Amino acid sequence: MSVVPEYTAATLQSLPGSRLAVLGAAFVRVASSADVVAVKTFVAENFGAVEFYAILPSGVSVDEAIALLDAGVEAVVVAAADELLAAGVPASRIILSSATASAVESAAGLFVDEAAAKTAKLSDKQTLYVALSAPKLELVKALPASSVVVVPAESLSTELETLAGKLSVADVVVSKLVSDRTDGLFSTLVVDARDTALGLVYSSAESVANAIATSTGVYQSRKRGLWFKGATSGAVQKLLKISADCDSDCLKFVVEQSGAGFCHKETASCFGSVSGISALEKTLVSRKESAPEGSYTKRLFTDEKLLHAKIMEEAEELTTAKSKSEIAWELADLVYFAMTKAVQNGVSWTDVENNLDAKSKKITRRKGDAKGKWAPKEEPKPEEKKVEEEKKEDNGRIALTRYNVADVSAKALDDLLRRPAQKNANIMNLVTPIVEAVRTRGDAALLEFTAKFEKAHLKSPVLKAPFPAELMALDEKTKAAIDMSIENVRKFHAGQLEKEPLVVETQPGVVCSRFARPIETVGLYVPGGTAILPSTALMLGVPAQVAGCKNIIIASPPKADGTLTPEVVYVAHKVGASMILLAGGSQAVAAMAYGTESVPKVNKILGPGNQFVTAAKMLVQNDTSALVSIDMPAGPSEVLVVADKYANPAFVASDLLSQAEHGVDSQVILIAVDLTEAELQKIEDEVHEQAMRLPRVDIVRGAIAHSRTFSVKTVEDAIALSNKYAPEHLILQIEDAAKYVDLVQHAGSVFVGAWSPESCGDYSSGTNHTLPTYGYATVYSGVNTGSFMKHLTSQELTPKGLEIIGPAVVRLADVEGLDAHGNAVRVRLTHLAKTKTEEVLARV
């Protein structure tokens, strides 16, 4: 007997991290084609966490069902299987929701309600899935022992005490377990995520309940009672999955073991040492940390060219091996060096197996020919060549996916407006050790990471002002462009300065004020990577200079020869930066947050970056020992364009592409206001034609793949949809655009009218281009002069003022039980009263 939670496409987002994940499976009810898109994306991103099953309505097409199965859905629940079987879907991937007995034989199982469960007929190899409308244990106990109970997730409880109106997961799990022991305990096999046996223990109803409630390994000791694994030794277990065997007389716990291992002898398993891939992975992880400098092993982890050469060498030797022993030998060598690359980049063998499992779920089969230089060089026949060219041209079209908002449900629209998911947990796992290394080892770690990631071998991680003239040698045209941009940004940000303090007399004799002070030391992150961005240096440096920050430090990753692009150095010189940190990524953020021998600690870090930079900024901001703030959480670049029939298609397309070229994780959105098919087609043609002429077309293609076009009826509808999305950049290419700006509530920056391309805001108009992304425009502002300042308040009271508000202060302090607070006022009021009395007596 097992229980599985049921979700909708919208509530599925709550599954990661939920205790219900230990059940190892989840059903999701798909309501529309839009849900298919959301579920497909979610399953692909969370594959391996649990097994997903999709309940499909009659309107979902065969292609959409196959797309879900390709993404990793274990099986789909459908009313009829004929079309899916004809399309090549195995019967093992189909569950029928209504079928005759003969039809059930060709499916993996049957999905019914509790009433139909009483008459359902299945073979021994098939599974009965029963959807319970009322979460009652009595109903569960009345069902066949081998059935799977499907219950809405919100009706399930993982707590030790059963909540009213909810079904206890632990009660369901143990309700039909069978024990052949006199003490009633259940044999329990404990395995790791790769199904390697760690040990054999026993469970009871109580231990199962505690394991589920705490998401840890809890068992029943025959001698000592309830056993919380690792409570005393520290070798705790995170419970990943719990399940029963086919006869319901044995449990299996899948755990993530920490500490010395499972066994009391401090080994990973009670069945001896691990072997094969697991042993190799453990050895390589150890060697990565401990291999002596200059050794061959250390070079494999630090010299990418050497590792690449070894992988290619072993792959070639494998292809020429003939005998059984030769093939085994060469394949082992190849696996060794391939695993070295995996360990070097924080990839585990479990990650590899998840990818293998995902590939095994694919229904759609590719042609499978070799690619690139490995493909056979055979000239196709003229007629075949023509067909291939036509096919390539059709498949290669770059276009946003269209949706008519009137045809999409509110929940589906929310899913479509959701940004591509960022796998923050995985990124944090990679970033944390880098940040910790720089925090503890300073310059040494910083230089190592710069050599590893930037291929730049530096003697010093910093370049101090004044900067050598040869490092900022630029042609006059480029200098003039930068100078103009700096001046415009300076004018706009100088206008934001608070020149006078705010002074308010709240009561006679009680004067309160608020005044600004610059943040003393700021760290400005200027990205490198796929695009060099000197514009970011000026967008951050100019307002820091205007605000009056004493120390401005710019961080930017160097080129392999150790130099920076001269534009960045020139901007650093113009804004008065005291230093340039020659580093990028999370290591640069860590150096500025904690300081090193060469890098002073900063008070605030500002600037955009990739997922690793963002993760590092969030990490150091939450570390009280760093005592550093950041500008905002940042994600991939994005733009939303609202276009009506008066918009120039070429303008619209160019604005969309200007953001799509930032990176494959960028997103662009077009909201088409009452456009005809012909008008939409003109924009789409321009997008494709302009994109194909761009040097970064491959990046654009990746970004457009998860971008959208939404059709609406009115401008008001368009801006309401935009407010829901809260874009980084909002471009209004509509008639009388200025009159609609008041409707905009959430956006990083607004570009009004056809002659205001987003590019101007990126460089030279004067506004700042460091803006909130990923929907944070609902709560964050873009970088501005105030970003580099803090506000202090002051209050000055006269004796009269204290007499007026003092009694209120004393009363509130008494209410809160803070006697010393009240006393600080009482002694003054007493002193005032005494002084007045003495003055009266003196006059008498």
Side-chain angles (χ1 to χ4, degrees), residues 324-347:
K324 182 178 179 180
S325 60
E326 282 181 325
I327 293 172
W329 180 274
E330 298 300 345
L331 179 56
D333 277 350
L334 179 58
V335 171
Y336 177 89
F337 291 110
M339 274 303 297
T340 301
K341 183 172 182 65
V343 170
Q344 177 193 46
N345 291 279
V347 177

Side-chain angles (χ1 to χ4, degrees), residues 40-371:
K40 180 177 68 173
T41 301
F42 184 88
V43 170
E45 291 173 349
N46 293 275
F47 183 85
V50 299
E51 290 182 351
F52 293 95
Y53 296 80
I55 307 169
L56 306 184
S58 56
V60 171
S61 69
V62 170
D63 287 344
E64 289 174 318
I66 290 176
L68 288 169
L69 293 168
D70 280 346
V73 167
E74 188 71 21
V76 291
V77 180
V78 294
D82 294 346
E83 290 186 6
L84 289 175
L85 292 169
V89 177
S92 61
R93 308 286 297 279
I94 301 171
I95 300 170
L96 291 173
S97 58
S98 62
T100 62
S102 60
V104 172
E105 293 175 4
S106 65
L110 188 61
F111 184 88
V112 298
D113 58 24
E114 61 262 33
K118 299 175 182 178
T119 57
K121 297 179 180 179
L122 298 95
S123 71
D124 292 339
K125 295 181 179 180
Q126 294 172 323
T127 303
L128 179 65
Y129 300 89
V130 184
L132 288 187
S133 56
K136 294 182 179 179
L137 189 59
E138 295 75 18
L139 294 175
V140 173
K141 291 181 177 179
L143 296 171
S146 60
S147 59
V148 174
V149 181
V150 182
V151 182
E154 62 271 17
S155 297
L156 291 172
S157 171
T158 57
E159 304 297 332
L160 286 173
E161 294 184 8
T162 304
L163 303 176
K166 295 203 173 190
L167 184 62
S168 166
V169 170
D171 286 348
V172 176
V173 171
V174 302
S175 63
K176 289 294 177 71
L177 286 176
V178 178
S179 174
D180 56 2
R181 295 175 53 83
T182 57
D183 56 14
L185 300 181
F186 311 111
S187 300
T188 303
L189 179 65
V190 184
V191 303
D192 64 15
R194 296 191 51 233
D195 256 358
T196 300
L198 302 181
L200 183 65
V201 295
Y202 296 95
S203 294
S204 64
E206 184 183 10
S207 70
V208 169
N210 276 273
I212 291 172
T214 61
S215 297
T216 60
V218 184
Y219 310 106
Q220 191 73 35
S221 169
R222 290 168 293 173
K223 297 179 180 179
R224 298 184 299 275
L226 206 59
W227 172 27
F228 288 81
K229 180 71 179 79
T232 55
S233 68
V236 296
Q237 295 173 343
K238 178 182 179 182
L239 179 59
L240 303 179
K241 182 180 177 181
I242 184 172
S243 60
D245 71 348
C246 59
D247 295 325
S248 298
D249 60 2
C250 179
L251 284 171
K252 183 171 86 168
F253 275 48
V254 183
V255 302
E256 181 181 292
Q257 179 71 57
S258 62
F262 180 85
C263 186
H264 69 284
K265 295 183 177 180
E266 296 191 347
T267 56
S269 167
C270 288
F271 301 106
S273 301
V274 295
S275 60
I277 293 291
S278 295
L280 174 62
E281 182 175 22
K282 185 177 180 181
T283 298
L284 288 173
V285 169
S286 174
R287 287 180 177 175
K288 179 185 177 184
E289 299 300 325
S290 61
E293 292 295 333
S295 66
Y296 174 64
T297 303
K298 192 70 172 180
R299 287 175 57 213
L300 282 175
F301 285 109
T302 57
D303 187 341
E304 289 197 4
K305 290 183 179 179
L306 173 62
L307 182 56
H308 177 269
K310 291 302 297 180
I311 291 173
M312 300 306 293
E313 174 190 329
E314 300 303 339
E316 186 173 13
E317 289 179 358
L318 175 62
T319 62
T320 59
K322 300 297 182 186
S323 69
K324 182 178 179 180
S325 60
E326 282 181 325
I327 293 172
W329 180 274
E330 298 300 345
L331 179 56
D333 277 350
L334 179 58
V335 171
Y336 177 89
F337 291 110
M339 274 303 297
T340 301
K341 183 172 182 65
V343 170
Q344 177 193 46
N345 291 279
V347 177
S348 70
W349 187 250
T350 301
D351 296 328
V352 176
E353 287 188 331
N354 275 340
N355 273 275
L356 291 172
D357 289 341
K359 289 176 172 62
S360 73
K361 301 298 181 186
K362 295 281 187 182
I363 301 297
T364 305
R365 296 290 176 232
R366 296 181 298 176
K367 187 176 179 182
D369 288 341
K371 298 177 181 178

Side-chain angles (χ1 to χ4, degrees), residues 13 32-39 41 401-405 407-420 667-669 706-710 721 725:
Q13 303 294 326
S32 65
S33 293
D35 279 357
V36 170
V37 176
V39 172
T41 301
T401 306
R402 287 197 207 173
Y403 296 92
N404 191 323
V405 171
D407 299 332
V408 179
S409 69
K411 287 185 177 179
L413 187 60
D414 287 341
D415 291 335
L416 292 170
L417 289 175
R418 190 173 290 114
R419 272 75 166 177
Q667 188 173 44
V668 300
I669 300 291
H706 49 74
S707 297
R708 323 248 191 262
T709 295
F710 293 102
L721 189 60
Y725 182 77

